[in-house]
Amino acid sequence: MAEFSFRAGDPADFLPGQYALLDLPGVAGARAYSMSNLPNGEGLWQFVIKQIGAGRGGAALFEGLQPGDTIGLDGPYGMAHLRPDNDRDIVCVGGGSGISPLLSILAAAARAPQLASKRLLLFYGGRTPADLCAPALLARDEALARRVECVTAISDPAHAGAWEGQRGFVHQVLQGWLESAGDASRYDYYFCGPPPMTDALQRLLMLEKRVPTAQLHFDRFV
Ligand SMILES: Cc1cc2nc3c(=O)[nH]c(=O)nc-3n(C[C@H](O)[C@H](O)[C@H](O)COP(=O)(O)OP(=O)(O)OC[C@H]3O[C@@H](n4cnc5c(N)ncnc54)[C@H](O)[C@@H]3O)c2cc1C
């Protein structure tokens, strides 16, 4: 995984949690990537991207692109953006590059005056301890470091080593936390990642916990 930065001529005008379509040199078809930074007047668009197997977009980004190269960027798109205008605490859930839009959402929430008294939680899962980049990414930003309560978990016990934190898939860790957190409908949920994770979270929150769908905001990284 790596963070990529692109500079456009116009202001980077988007809502935290949205994504853009990137046209990469030599790759047929655009690829969707979610912005990890905040909207800004300098035209800076940043993305945390994971290279997956022999994927062509990943190869173009990680092996083909050089600093100074030009790509196509179309956006913003997406409905899984921060809704700051309500009275609920915020729970973000993700794994892998799903951290990208969650960083943007949490950075905006941590700076929103109307959310100053709200809890901001991040549940972040990885296969091994080495996959858990979330604490380091939060630590880069003083507002994130101060405001976000981060719970990490690993899903592969064979690679646990000296790990003493939570174990299990991230949706299972959230499920355990909700047992003692009171009414699950007190929170707004933002999540992004591979379909098995987003599907499991939908089942947990919609069907088991009866959280209104208007409080669930998510993108499946198909
Ligand atoms: C809303 C959304 C947000 C996402 N955000 C992120 C993010 O922030 N970080 C991240 O790492 N990943 C993100 N992804 C996943 C990302 O878009 C890619 O699917 C993933 O990186 C693998 O891409 P690849 O090109 O390396 O793999 P490939 O296997 O080459 O392609 C992946 C997908 O691209 C599409 N595709 C392939 N060829 C064509 C073609 N000719 N024309 C049109 N479409 C084609 C297909 O849907 C294919 O499954 C997001 C996905 C979605 C839907």
Side-chain angles (χ1 to χ4, degrees), residues 19 27-35 47-52 54-59 97-98 100-101 219-222:
Y19 65 92
V27 180
R31 298 295 192 269
Y33 295 108
S34 311
M35 283 71 81
F47 308 87
V48 175
I49 297 176
K50 183 172 186 175
Q51 185 169 22
I52 299 171
R56 285 151 294 167
S97 56
S100 195
D219 274 325
R220 295 166 107 239
F221 284 9
V222 286

Side-chain angles (χ1 to χ4, degrees), residues 18-24 29-35 45 47 71-78:
Q18 288 190 302
Y19 65 92
L21 295 174
L22 303 193
D23 277 302
L24 301 163
R31 298 295 192 269
Y33 295 108
S34 311
M35 283 71 81
W45 299 70
F47 308 87
I71 64 156
L73 189 155
D74 176 24
Y77 293 102

